[in-house]
Amino acid sequence: MSDQIVIKILLVAAFVVFGIVLLRPGRSARNKAIRAITLLVLLACGVFAVIFPSVINDLANIVGVGRGADLLLYAFIVVFVGNALATVRRQRAQDLQITRLAREIALRNPEYPETRS
Amino acid sequence: MDEFICSNDDTWLIVPLYNEATVVRQVIEEARAVFPNIVCVDDGSSDDSVIEASAGGAVVLAHPINLGQGAALQTGIEFARAQRGAMFFVTFDSDGQHEVGDALAMVQRLRNEPYDVIVGSRFLDDRTNAGALKRAVLRLAVLFERLSTGVKLTDAHNGLRAFNREAASKFQIRQNRMAHASEIVAQIGEHKLRYAEQPVHIKYTEYSLSKGQSLWNSVNILTELFIK
């Protein structure tokens, strides 16, 4: 087990860095807070999984997956897809805002032809 | 032509414009002979489209960035319906593929018949020469729209449409890019607007063909419609 100590430290360090980034002061809406808490819990699970990898294996066996690594992959895919969908939705909302902004600018500056017959 | 100028004071032509500097002036000038009120919505053109359209005699609104034809139409509709005395609205392409006479006939129908929207169709007579593949794709689009909106049209993506205030206040185009044509059809059904079709001639000039919609766009339109 001791030969894996380096990667363990690296992974834990990475998660800790993510956690610090998350905890820095930012936006205030409630669902953002909920998202942050969820992420923190996930990070804690990550740390736990790195320190006690056998737990993931046991968990995998309980849910009928052969290895812990497979379970992690599945979890990763779920999170990734969820994230991708959230991004698309946010993108659409942002596009709509940009459209409204650009339209407002256009409507405020009509350019009339110099000579109207 | 003077009688037309008087009689069409209550009509606004809405012309989305994107990089058409070579033709737009002539298109606007020809249309102005019949419709005195024209609003061009420039969608972030990088050429002299704005200057040319203005020289042709149109009111020009300019999107600061390129948003797409659907967004330009919506901007034009919002501008036109806020104008004093505006009763009828026509969406008209800036590349010269539509005929002013067709637009005039459509507005006349709105005046005389109980419709909210008159949609142009290429396929009601045989003036328009579309390629076989293009024809097939448009037919497929029509079928798709009939199934999904209940609105029965023969030409799904004709840019020439005329509508009254009632319809103008209902249209809310959110599809910025090409899928707006289907969206308009959907909203005709949704708001139970009274609609009819008018045979129109699309001039597939060498110019419009050289930059016209490629058939690949139909794939893009479908993706835009389905992935919300």
Side-chain angles (χ1 to χ4, degrees), chain B residues 32-64:
Chain B
R32 282 253 296 159
V34 179
F35 297 101
N37 302 315
I38 301 180
V39 56
C40 256
V41 184
D42 177 68
D43 196 26
S45 295
S46 52
D47 61 4
D48 291 336
S49 290
V50 171
I51 297 166
E52 291 293 315
S54 195
V59 181
V60 180
L61 301 175
H63 284 166

CSV table of all heavy atoms in Angstrom, one decimal, chain B residues 32-64:
chain,number,residue,atom,x,y,z
B,32,ARG,N,-39.6,49.9,-52.5
B,32,ARG,CA,-40.1,51.2,-52.0
B,32,ARG,C,-41.0,51.9,-53.0
B,32,ARG,O,-41.8,52.7,-52.7
B,32,ARG,CB,-38.9,52.2,-51.8
B,32,ARG,CG,-38.2,51.9,-50.5
B,32,ARG,CD,-38.5,53.0,-49.5
B,32,ARG,NE,-38.0,54.3,-49.9
B,32,ARG,CZ,-38.4,55.4,-49.4
B,32,ARG,NH1,-39.4,55.4,-48.5
B,32,ARG,NH2,-37.9,56.6,-49.8
B,33,ALA,N,-41.0,51.4,-54.3
B,33,ALA,CA,-41.9,51.9,-55.2
B,33,ALA,C,-43.4,51.6,-54.9
B,33,ALA,O,-44.3,52.2,-55.3
B,33,ALA,CB,-41.6,51.4,-56.6
B,34,VAL,N,-43.5,50.5,-54.1
B,34,VAL,CA,-44.8,50.0,-53.7
B,34,VAL,C,-45.0,50.2,-52.2
B,34,VAL,O,-46.1,50.6,-51.8
B,34,VAL,CB,-45.0,48.5,-54.1
B,34,VAL,CG1,-46.3,48.0,-53.7
B,34,VAL,CG2,-44.8,48.3,-55.6
B,35,PHE,N,-44.0,49.9,-51.4
B,35,PHE,CA,-44.2,50.0,-50.0
B,35,PHE,C,-43.2,51.1,-49.4
B,35,PHE,O,-42.0,50.9,-49.4
B,35,PHE,CB,-43.8,48.6,-49.3
B,35,PHE,CG,-44.7,47.5,-49.7
B,35,PHE,CD1,-44.3,46.6,-50.7
B,35,PHE,CD2,-45.9,47.3,-49.1
B,35,PHE,CE1,-45.1,45.5,-51.0
B,35,PHE,CE2,-46.8,46.3,-49.5
B,35,PHE,CZ,-46.4,45.4,-50.4
B,36,PRO,N,-43.8,52.2,-49.0
B,36,PRO,CA,-43.0,53.3,-48.5
B,36,PRO,C,-42.2,53.0,-47.2
B,36,PRO,O,-41.2,53.6,-47.0
B,36,PRO,CB,-44.0,54.4,-48.3
B,36,PRO,CG,-45.3,53.8,-48.2
B,36,PRO,CD,-45.3,52.5,-49.0
B,37,ASN,N,-42.8,52.1,-46.4
B,37,ASN,CA,-42.2,51.8,-45.1
B,37,ASN,C,-41.4,50.5,-45.1
B,37,ASN,O,-42.0,49.4,-45.2
B,37,ASN,CB,-43.3,51.7,-44.0
B,37,ASN,CG,-44.1,53.0,-43.9
B,37,ASN,OD1,-43.5,54.1,-43.9
B,37,ASN,ND2,-45.4,52.9,-43.9
B,38,ILE,N,-40.1,50.6,-45.0
B,38,ILE,CA,-39.3,49.4,-45.0
B,38,ILE,C,-38.3,49.5,-43.9
B,38,ILE,O,-37.6,50.5,-43.7
B,38,ILE,CB,-38.5,49.3,-46.3
B,38,ILE,CG1,-39.4,49.2,-47.5
B,38,ILE,CG2,-37.6,48.0,-46.3
B,38,ILE,CD1,-38.8,49.0,-48.9
B,39,VAL,N,-38.3,48.5,-43.0
B,39,VAL,CA,-37.2,48.4,-42.0
B,39,VAL,C,-36.3,47.3,-42.3
B,39,VAL,O,-36.7,46.1,-42.5
B,39,VAL,CB,-37.8,48.3,-40.6
B,39,VAL,CG1,-38.7,47.1,-40.4
B,39,VAL,CG2,-36.7,48.3,-39.5
B,40,CYS,N,-35.0,47.6,-42.4
B,40,CYS,CA,-34.0,46.6,-42.7
B,40,CYS,C,-33.3,46.3,-41.3
B,40,CYS,O,-32.9,47.2,-40.6
B,40,CYS,CB,-32.9,47.1,-43.6
B,40,CYS,SG,-33.0,46.5,-45.2
B,41,VAL,N,-33.2,45.0,-41.0
B,41,VAL,CA,-32.5,44.7,-39.7
B,41,VAL,C,-31.2,44.1,-40.1
B,41,VAL,O,-31.1,42.9,-40.6
B,41,VAL,CB,-33.3,43.7,-38.8
B,41,VAL,CG1,-32.6,43.5,-37.5
B,41,VAL,CG2,-34.7,44.3,-38.6
B,42,ASP,N,-30.1,44.8,-40.0
B,42,ASP,CA,-28.8,44.3,-40.3
B,42,ASP,C,-28.3,43.4,-39.2
B,42,ASP,O,-28.4,43.8,-38.0
B,42,ASP,CB,-27.9,45.5,-40.5
B,42,ASP,CG,-26.5,44.9,-40.8
B,42,ASP,OD1,-26.3,44.3,-41.9
B,42,ASP,OD2,-25.6,45.1,-39.9
B,43,ASP,N,-27.9,42.2,-39.5
B,43,ASP,CA,-27.6,41.2,-38.5
B,43,ASP,C,-26.0,41.2,-38.4
B,43,ASP,O,-25.5,40.1,-38.5
B,43,ASP,CB,-28.2,39.9,-38.9
B,43,ASP,CG,-28.2,39.0,-37.7
B,43,ASP,OD1,-28.2,39.4,-36.6
B,43,ASP,OD2,-28.2,37.7,-37.9
B,44,GLY,N,-25.4,42.3,-38.2
B,44,GLY,CA,-24.0,42.3,-38.0
B,44,GLY,C,-23.2,42.1,-39.3
B,44,GLY,O,-22.2,41.4,-39.2
B,45,SER,N,-23.7,42.6,-40.4
B,45,SER,CA,-22.9,42.5,-41.6
B,45,SER,C,-21.5,43.0,-41.5
B,45,SER,O,-21.3,44.0,-40.8
B,45,SER,CB,-23.7,43.2,-42.7
B,45,SER,OG,-24.9,42.6,-43.0
B,46,SER,N,-20.6,42.4,-42.3
B,46,SER,CA,-19.3,43.0,-42.3
B,46,SER,C,-19.0,43.8,-43.5
B,46,SER,O,-17.9,44.3,-43.7
B,46,SER,CB,-18.3,41.8,-42.2
B,46,SER,OG,-18.5,40.8,-43.1
B,47,ASP,N,-20.0,43.8,-44.4
B,47,ASP,CA,-19.7,44.6,-45.6
B,47,ASP,C,-20.5,45.9,-45.5
B,47,ASP,O,-20.9,46.4,-44.5
B,47,ASP,CB,-20.1,43.8,-46.9
B,47,ASP,CG,-21.6,43.4,-46.9
B,47,ASP,OD1,-22.3,43.8,-45.9
B,47,ASP,OD2,-22.0,42.7,-47.8
B,48,ASP,N,-20.8,46.6,-46.7
B,48,ASP,CA,-21.5,47.9,-46.7
B,48,ASP,C,-23.0,47.8,-46.7
B,48,ASP,O,-23.7,48.7,-47.1
B,48,ASP,CB,-21.0,48.7,-47.9
B,48,ASP,CG,-19.6,49.1,-47.7
B,48,ASP,OD1,-19.1,49.2,-46.5
B,48,ASP,OD2,-18.9,49.4,-48.7
B,49,SER,N,-23.6,46.7,-46.2
B,49,SER,CA,-25.0,46.4,-46.3
B,49,SER,C,-25.8,47.6,-45.7
B,49,SER,O,-26.8,48.0,-46.2
B,49,SER,CB,-25.4,45.1,-45.6
B,49,SER,OG,-24.9,44.0,-46.3
B,50,VAL,N,-25.3,48.1,-44.5
B,50,VAL,CA,-26.1,49.1,-43.8
B,50,VAL,C,-26.2,50.4,-44.7
B,50,VAL,O,-27.3,50.9,-44.8
B,50,VAL,CB,-25.4,49.4,-42.4
B,50,VAL,CG1,-26.1,50.6,-41.8
B,50,VAL,CG2,-25.6,48.2,-41.5
B,51,ILE,N,-25.0,50.8,-45.2
B,51,ILE,CA,-25.0,52.0,-46.0
B,51,ILE,C,-25.9,51.8,-47.3
B,51,ILE,O,-26.7,52.7,-47.6
B,51,ILE,CB,-23.5,52.3,-46.5
B,51,ILE,CG1,-22.7,52.6,-45.2
B,51,ILE,CG2,-23.5,53.5,-47.4
B,51,ILE,CD1,-21.2,52.5,-45.5
B,52,GLU,N,-25.8,50.7,-47.9
B,52,GLU,CA,-26.6,50.4,-49.1
B,52,GLU,C,-28.1,50.4,-48.8
B,52,GLU,O,-28.8,51.0,-49.6
B,52,GLU,CB,-26.1,49.1,-49.7
B,52,GLU,CG,-24.7,49.1,-50.3
B,52,GLU,CD,-24.6,50.0,-51.5
B,52,GLU,OE1,-25.5,49.9,-52.4
B,52,GLU,OE2,-23.7,50.7,-51.6
B,53,ALA,N,-28.4,49.8,-47.7
B,53,ALA,CA,-29.9,49.7,-47.4
B,53,ALA,C,-30.4,51.1,-47.1
B,53,ALA,O,-31.5,51.4,-47.5
B,53,ALA,CB,-30.1,48.8,-46.2
B,54,SER,N,-29.6,51.9,-46.4
B,54,SER,CA,-30.0,53.2,-46.0
B,54,SER,C,-30.1,54.1,-47.3
B,54,SER,O,-31.1,54.8,-47.4
B,54,SER,CB,-28.9,53.8,-45.1
B,54,SER,OG,-29.4,54.9,-44.4
B,55,ALA,N,-29.2,53.9,-48.2
B,55,ALA,CA,-29.2,54.6,-49.5
B,55,ALA,C,-30.5,54.2,-50.3
B,55,ALA,O,-31.0,55.1,-51.0
B,55,ALA,CB,-28.0,54.4,-50.3
B,56,GLY,N,-30.9,53.0,-50.1
B,56,GLY,CA,-32.1,52.6,-50.8
B,56,GLY,C,-33.3,53.2,-50.3
B,56,GLY,O,-34.4,53.1,-50.9
B,57,GLY,N,-33.3,53.7,-49.0
B,57,GLY,CA,-34.4,54.4,-48.5
B,57,GLY,C,-35.1,53.6,-47.3
B,57,GLY,O,-36.2,53.9,-47.0
B,58,ALA,N,-34.4,52.6,-46.7
B,58,ALA,CA,-35.0,51.9,-45.6
B,58,ALA,C,-34.5,52.4,-44.3
B,58,ALA,O,-33.5,53.0,-44.2
B,58,ALA,CB,-34.6,50.4,-45.7
B,59,VAL,N,-35.4,52.3,-43.3
B,59,VAL,CA,-34.9,52.5,-41.9
B,59,VAL,C,-34.0,51.3,-41.6
B,59,VAL,O,-34.4,50.2,-41.8
B,59,VAL,CB,-36.1,52.5,-40.9
B,59,VAL,CG1,-35.6,52.8,-39.5
B,59,VAL,CG2,-37.1,53.6,-41.4
B,60,VAL,N,-32.9,51.6,-41.0
B,60,VAL,CA,-32.0,50.5,-40.7
B,60,VAL,C,-31.8,50.3,-39.2
B,60,VAL,O,-31.5,51.3,-38.5
B,60,VAL,CB,-30.6,50.7,-41.4
B,60,VAL,CG1,-29.7,49.5,-41.1
B,60,VAL,CG2,-30.8,50.8,-42.9
B,61,LEU,N,-32.0,49.1,-38.7
B,61,LEU,CA,-31.7,48.7,-37.3
B,61,LEU,C,-30.5,47.8,-37.4
B,61,LEU,O,-30.4,47.0,-38.4
B,61,LEU,CB,-32.8,48.0,-36.7
B,61,LEU,CG,-34.2,48.7,-36.6
B,61,LEU,CD1,-35.2,47.7,-35.9
B,61,LEU,CD2,-34.1,49.9,-35.7
B,62,ALA,N,-29.5,48.0,-36.5
B,62,ALA,CA,-28.3,47.1,-36.6
B,62,ALA,C,-28.1,46.3,-35.4
B,62,ALA,O,-27.9,46.9,-34.3
B,62,ALA,CB,-27.1,48.0,-37.0
B,63,HIS,N,-28.1,45.0,-35.5
B,63,HIS,CA,-27.6,44.2,-34.4
B,63,HIS,C,-26.1,44.4,-34.2
B,63,HIS,O,-25.4,44.3,-35.2
B,63,HIS,CB,-27.9,42.7,-34.7
B,63,HIS,CG,-29.3,42.3,-34.5
B,63,HIS,ND1,-29.8,41.1,-35.0
B,63,HIS,CD2,-30.4,42.9,-34.0
B,63,HIS,CE1,-31.1,41.0,-34.7
B,63,HIS,NE2,-31.5,42.1,-34.1
B,64,PRO,N,-25.7,44.6,-33.0
B,64,PRO,CA,-24.2,44.8,-32.8
B,64,PRO,C,-23.4,43.6,-33.1
B,64,PRO,O,-22.3,43.6,-33.4
B,64,PRO,CB,-24.1,45.3,-31.4
B,64,PRO,CG,-25.4,44.8,-30.7
B,64,PRO,CD,-26.4,44.8,-31.8
